[in-house]
Amino acid sequence: MKILVVDDRKIDRESLMDLLEAYGYAVAGASSGQEAIDYLNNNIDLALIDIVMPEMDGIEVLKAIKAFRPDIDVILITAYATLEKAVAGLKEGAYDFLSKPFTHNELIAAVERVKEKKELQMAVKSKEDSLRKSERFLHSVLESIGEAVVVIDRDMKIVSANKGYKTQTKMLSEDITGRHCYEISHGYPKPCYLMGEDCAVMRTFDDGLAHTAIHIHKDKDGNPLFVETNSYPLIDDKGKVYAVVETIKDITEIKKLEEEKQKIEEQLIQAQKMESIGTLAGGIAHDFNNMLTAILGFGGLIQSNMAEDDPNLLYLKEILKAAERAAHLTQGLLTFSRKQIINPKPENINNIVASVRKMLERLIGEDIELKTILADEELIVMADSGQIEQVLMNLATNARDAMPDGGILTIMTESLNITQEFIRMHGYGEQRKYAVISVSDTGKGMDEKTRKRIFEPFFTTKELGRGTGLGLAIVYGIVKQHHGYVNCYSEPDRGTTFKIYLPLKSSTYSKDEESTLPPPERGHETILLAEDYEPIRKLMKDVFEMYGYTVIDAVDGMDAVDKFKRHKDDIDIIIMDVIMPRKNGKEAYDDIKSIKDGIPCIFMSGYSADIIGSKGLSEKDSIIISKPVMPDDLLRKIRHILNAKGKTA
Ligand code: ADP
Ligand code: MG
């Protein structure tokens, strides 16, 4: 503590200063009021001022000090004559006075009282400071956390809300403070528990424990927020809950993610279900095809041997017609199970749509208007145009059935970048550009339960004989085989939209030259025919021979290789089943090539290009045709290959 001694009499001033110094205080002296005032900028804690001084008396100095440095304490020194002045000085803010004469002890005691008072003041001040600091700290903690925090009193009114809450609700303090929490969060006129809602705050007031609840709150604009609220009690000295602190966590995003996850799982289950139905359907169709090939083939042979007026010709024709219908059905099943061979080429989706327009118009009839909205840009995808046409026909047929009283069928094409967001929302897709074909009708739509099953083969809501339930199964199969996606949006009475996503090919359009097949021609070459299913083998042998070819037949892959060894210089072409016992088609053909290269081969298969592809057949030295094989078709292909070979040879 530093003390300024103000006295015009040098002896008095210096003796006081010496004394104080002896007690360990820092001191300074001033011989007049003005000198004292000039000294005020220095570090002083206490001034000892003699009242009687010329020019400026002690009271005036006191006033100046209190005006400039109210923190400096003042002790006045007075003689009996100026006692009244000293008392007046107390009113002006002097801390104490000493009446002359005073002892050393009296002086030191007065100074020490000031010192103690100062220390006490300091202690209080630093306590206040740290309290203020910790308050500010708590406040900034509350304001910094993203979590919304409010304090609610027993009237369910919000006493205070942090920044997180204001951000969450998009409200300002004045919109919030003093208002009921149920009114702000829900727009309710009464507390939540009276509105049939769980209220964690109420429960905390009741039992003094922490509670949690899940709610849908509304922000200022009425947007719903999924929230998790946690209530904690604020308890007073008597153990009573006087307020509740509530944290409100926005879990809308978490909820969304959960729903997305569920969607992906559903998609996965759906895909697995379709896959297993596909395997089953494909297996049956495959066996049926072999049988139908025999029925149609032998039937055809009988027909060509029959006289025009044979009374049985009519029956035979009916048999063949029925078999053809059956073949059509198995074809549909194979398409669904993706076991059919497709011939993808770069195709502009817009052209495909344009080319089937006329046919679709005829299909849907006059009561339904067909609108096509095609993208300006070319939408090139690797597609089998015939199959995409089939997709459009099937969708149009369904749309027609859904609009018995007329309506509008809209086909739209566009390109779409499938984003991570899209994949998250739909549960499928790859991050790339797709061509999208939307087919919408204004028909009767369908409910959720129906919509979930429409792609299953044989699922139909149509009356017996009207629907086969294969239309959409075929669509599904074709789209999958094109590495695309199909989905359906529909609501009862609000129409239906199918969307098909096909991966866009980035390169430019180059349509392969269309191969127009010549009609079956007779030949004279030698064919090695390998087929394990006897009826087909027999049928084909007969047909080939009828057309002038020499046929060497083999019952399996191993037999084919043996026969080839023996006749390698006679054989011009090989016709071979892909799946055969002992050696499959690909293995047999590999062996044959090592014996003699360059003999073309036609593989017959009921399985999809990818299965064959994985078995390593390349299209360079062989072609693949799908079962059921129509003899005429096969004959044309044989001729085509042999003619081409003859030209290059
Ligand atoms: P089908 O037409 O032979 O019944 P699909 O596989 O083509 O078989 O369709 C299956 C079912 O899906 C239909 O029976 C129908 O209930 C429903 N469906 C398909 N397309 C539509 C559509 N555009 N509007 C309403 N329902 C449809
Ligand atoms: Mg249909």
mmCIF file of all heavy atoms in Angstrom, residues 431-450:
data_model
loop_
_atom_site.group_PDB
_atom_site.id
_atom_site.type_symbol
_atom_site.label_atom_id
_atom_site.label_comp_id
_atom_site.label_asym_id
_atom_site.label_seq_id
_atom_site.Cartn_x
_atom_site.Cartn_y
_atom_site.Cartn_z
ATOM 1 N N GLN A 431 -23.694 -44.570 -59.563
ATOM 2 C CA GLN A 431 -23.439 -43.169 -59.833
ATOM 3 C C GLN A 431 -22.973 -42.972 -61.260
ATOM 4 O O GLN A 431 -21.794 -43.092 -61.554
ATOM 5 C CB GLN A 431 -22.373 -42.665 -58.863
ATOM 6 C CG GLN A 431 -22.938 -41.744 -57.822
ATOM 7 C CD GLN A 431 -21.882 -41.278 -56.884
ATOM 8 O OE1 GLN A 431 -21.220 -42.089 -56.260
ATOM 9 N NE2 GLN A 431 -21.697 -39.985 -56.775
ATOM 10 N N ARG A 432 -23.926 -42.725 -62.159
ATOM 11 C CA ARG A 432 -23.591 -42.474 -63.555
ATOM 12 C C ARG A 432 -24.810 -41.900 -64.246
ATOM 13 O O ARG A 432 -25.844 -41.685 -63.623
ATOM 14 C CB ARG A 432 -23.161 -43.766 -64.234
ATOM 15 C CG ARG A 432 -24.228 -44.869 -64.173
ATOM 16 C CD ARG A 432 -23.837 -46.047 -64.996
ATOM 17 N NE ARG A 432 -23.703 -45.635 -66.383
ATOM 18 C CZ ARG A 432 -23.112 -46.381 -67.310
ATOM 19 N NH1 ARG A 432 -22.589 -47.535 -66.973
ATOM 20 N NH2 ARG A 432 -23.046 -45.967 -68.553
ATOM 21 N N LYS A 433 -24.694 -41.681 -65.557
ATOM 22 C CA LYS A 433 -25.804 -41.086 -66.285
ATOM 23 C C LYS A 433 -26.712 -42.181 -66.842
ATOM 24 O O LYS A 433 -26.241 -43.194 -67.349
ATOM 25 C CB LYS A 433 -25.260 -40.222 -67.426
ATOM 26 C CG LYS A 433 -25.928 -38.872 -67.452
ATOM 27 C CD LYS A 433 -25.276 -37.944 -68.436
ATOM 28 C CE LYS A 433 -26.257 -36.816 -68.703
ATOM 29 N NZ LYS A 433 -25.836 -35.934 -69.758
ATOM 30 N N TYR A 434 -28.001 -41.961 -66.725
ATOM 31 C CA TYR A 434 -28.973 -42.927 -67.213
ATOM 32 C C TYR A 434 -29.933 -42.261 -68.193
ATOM 33 O O TYR A 434 -30.183 -41.063 -68.102
ATOM 34 C CB TYR A 434 -29.809 -43.478 -66.055
ATOM 35 C CG TYR A 434 -29.102 -44.536 -65.235
ATOM 36 C CD1 TYR A 434 -28.179 -44.187 -64.271
ATOM 37 C CD2 TYR A 434 -29.361 -45.885 -65.429
ATOM 38 C CE1 TYR A 434 -27.514 -45.152 -63.514
ATOM 39 C CE2 TYR A 434 -28.716 -46.863 -64.685
ATOM 40 C CZ TYR A 434 -27.793 -46.490 -63.726
ATOM 41 O OH TYR A 434 -27.159 -47.445 -62.994
ATOM 42 N N ALA A 435 -30.476 -43.068 -69.108
ATOM 43 C CA ALA A 435 -31.620 -42.625 -69.887
ATOM 44 C C ALA A 435 -32.846 -43.076 -69.106
ATOM 45 O O ALA A 435 -32.873 -44.183 -68.588
ATOM 46 C CB ALA A 435 -31.602 -43.282 -71.259
ATOM 47 N N VAL A 436 -33.827 -42.186 -68.994
ATOM 48 C CA VAL A 436 -35.033 -42.548 -68.261
ATOM 49 C C VAL A 436 -36.220 -42.525 -69.214
ATOM 50 O O VAL A 436 -36.411 -41.554 -69.935
ATOM 51 C CB VAL A 436 -35.311 -41.560 -67.107
ATOM 52 C CG1 VAL A 436 -36.464 -42.064 -66.252
ATOM 53 C CG2 VAL A 436 -34.073 -41.358 -66.266
ATOM 54 N N ILE A 437 -36.959 -43.615 -69.236
ATOM 55 C CA ILE A 437 -38.212 -43.632 -69.986
ATOM 56 C C ILE A 437 -39.323 -43.669 -68.950
ATOM 57 O O ILE A 437 -39.378 -44.588 -68.134
ATOM 58 C CB ILE A 437 -38.337 -44.889 -70.873
ATOM 59 C CG1 ILE A 437 -37.046 -45.137 -71.661
ATOM 60 C CG2 ILE A 437 -39.527 -44.774 -71.809
ATOM 61 C CD1 ILE A 437 -37.055 -46.455 -72.435
ATOM 62 N N SER A 438 -40.186 -42.662 -68.969
ATOM 63 C CA SER A 438 -41.336 -42.684 -68.057
ATOM 64 C C SER A 438 -42.587 -42.975 -68.869
ATOM 65 O O SER A 438 -42.809 -42.370 -69.902
ATOM 66 C CB SER A 438 -41.526 -41.347 -67.359
ATOM 67 O OG SER A 438 -40.309 -40.816 -66.974
ATOM 68 N N VAL A 439 -43.366 -43.899 -68.358
ATOM 69 C CA VAL A 439 -44.632 -44.227 -69.007
ATOM 70 C C VAL A 439 -45.735 -43.993 -67.977
ATOM 71 O O VAL A 439 -45.801 -44.693 -66.970
ATOM 72 C CB VAL A 439 -44.639 -45.694 -69.489
ATOM 73 C CG1 VAL A 439 -45.966 -46.042 -70.148
ATOM 74 C CG2 VAL A 439 -43.480 -45.944 -70.452
ATOM 75 N N SER A 440 -46.554 -42.963 -68.222
ATOM 76 C CA SER A 440 -47.579 -42.606 -67.234
ATOM 77 C C SER A 440 -48.963 -42.739 -67.827
ATOM 78 O O SER A 440 -49.178 -42.417 -68.993
ATOM 79 C CB SER A 440 -47.441 -41.158 -66.785
ATOM 80 O OG SER A 440 -46.122 -40.857 -66.510
ATOM 81 N N ASP A 441 -49.891 -43.186 -66.997
ATOM 82 C CA ASP A 441 -51.276 -43.190 -67.450
ATOM 83 C C ASP A 441 -52.142 -42.454 -66.433
ATOM 84 O O ASP A 441 -51.705 -42.145 -65.327
ATOM 85 C CB ASP A 441 -51.778 -44.628 -67.668
ATOM 86 C CG ASP A 441 -51.806 -45.444 -66.390
ATOM 87 O OD1 ASP A 441 -52.435 -44.993 -65.409
ATOM 88 O OD2 ASP A 441 -51.196 -46.541 -66.372
ATOM 89 N N THR A 442 -53.356 -42.146 -66.848
ATOM 90 C CA THR A 442 -54.291 -41.446 -65.967
ATOM 91 C C THR A 442 -55.374 -42.424 -65.514
ATOM 92 O O THR A 442 -56.517 -42.061 -65.321
ATOM 93 C CB THR A 442 -54.935 -40.257 -66.705
ATOM 94 O OG1 THR A 442 -55.505 -40.758 -67.930
ATOM 95 C CG2 THR A 442 -53.911 -39.213 -67.051
ATOM 96 N N GLY A 443 -54.968 -43.654 -65.360
ATOM 97 C CA GLY A 443 -55.935 -44.710 -65.078
ATOM 98 C C GLY A 443 -56.232 -44.920 -63.609
ATOM 99 O O GLY A 443 -56.000 -44.044 -62.779
ATOM 100 N N LYS A 444 -56.675 -46.123 -63.302
ATOM 101 C CA LYS A 444 -57.197 -46.347 -61.951
ATOM 102 C C LYS A 444 -56.126 -46.591 -60.894
ATOM 103 O O LYS A 444 -56.445 -46.637 -59.700
ATOM 104 C CB LYS A 444 -58.206 -47.499 -61.968
ATOM 105 C CG LYS A 444 -57.648 -48.819 -62.455
ATOM 106 C CD LYS A 444 -58.773 -49.856 -62.530
ATOM 107 C CE LYS A 444 -58.299 -51.126 -63.202
ATOM 108 N NZ LYS A 444 -59.333 -51.787 -63.991
ATOM 109 N N GLY A 445 -54.883 -46.722 -61.329
ATOM 110 C CA GLY A 445 -53.811 -46.850 -60.350
ATOM 111 C C GLY A 445 -53.908 -48.128 -59.535
ATOM 112 O O GLY A 445 -54.670 -49.038 -59.870
ATOM 113 N N MET A 446 -53.132 -48.196 -58.475
ATOM 114 C CA MET A 446 -53.182 -49.401 -57.639
ATOM 115 C C MET A 446 -52.735 -49.069 -56.218
ATOM 116 O O MET A 446 -52.097 -48.043 -55.974
ATOM 117 C CB MET A 446 -52.311 -50.504 -58.220
ATOM 118 C CG MET A 446 -50.859 -50.119 -58.360
ATOM 119 S SD MET A 446 -49.955 -51.311 -59.354
ATOM 120 C CE MET A 446 -49.494 -50.313 -60.755
ATOM 121 N N ASP A 447 -53.077 -49.952 -55.305
ATOM 122 C CA ASP A 447 -52.669 -49.709 -53.919
ATOM 123 C C ASP A 447 -51.279 -50.280 -53.678
ATOM 124 O O ASP A 447 -50.713 -50.991 -54.511
ATOM 125 C CB ASP A 447 -53.694 -50.283 -52.928
ATOM 126 C CG ASP A 447 -53.880 -51.781 -53.105
ATOM 127 O OD1 ASP A 447 -52.974 -52.435 -53.661
ATOM 128 O OD2 ASP A 447 -54.940 -52.300 -52.692
ATOM 129 N N GLU A 448 -50.754 -49.932 -52.504
ATOM 130 C CA GLU A 448 -49.397 -50.304 -52.138
ATOM 131 C C GLU A 448 -49.184 -51.822 -52.194
ATOM 132 O O GLU A 448 -48.156 -52.315 -52.642
ATOM 133 C CB GLU A 448 -49.159 -49.762 -50.715
ATOM 134 C CG GLU A 448 -47.800 -50.003 -50.133
ATOM 135 C CD GLU A 448 -46.715 -49.158 -50.782
ATOM 136 O OE1 GLU A 448 -47.046 -48.198 -51.502
ATOM 137 O OE2 GLU A 448 -45.536 -49.490 -50.577
ATOM 138 N N LYS A 449 -50.195 -52.559 -51.731
ATOM 139 C CA LYS A 449 -50.064 -54.005 -51.643
ATOM 140 C C LYS A 449 -49.902 -54.618 -53.038
ATOM 141 O O LYS A 449 -49.073 -55.502 -53.251
ATOM 142 C CB LYS A 449 -51.311 -54.585 -50.948
ATOM 143 C CG LYS A 449 -50.971 -55.638 -49.915
ATOM 144 C CD LYS A 449 -52.200 -56.087 -49.129
ATOM 145 C CE LYS A 449 -52.706 -57.422 -49.633
ATOM 146 N NZ LYS A 449 -54.143 -57.608 -49.444
ATOM 147 N N THR A 450 -50.705 -54.115 -53.970
ATOM 148 C CA THR A 450 -50.607 -54.593 -55.346
ATOM 149 C C THR A 450 -49.252 -54.197 -55.938
ATOM 150 O O THR A 450 -48.563 -55.013 -56.541
ATOM 151 C CB THR A 450 -51.738 -53.980 -56.195
ATOM 152 O OG1 THR A 450 -52.975 -54.272 -55.562
ATOM 153 C CG2 THR A 450 -51.731 -54.526 -57.608
#
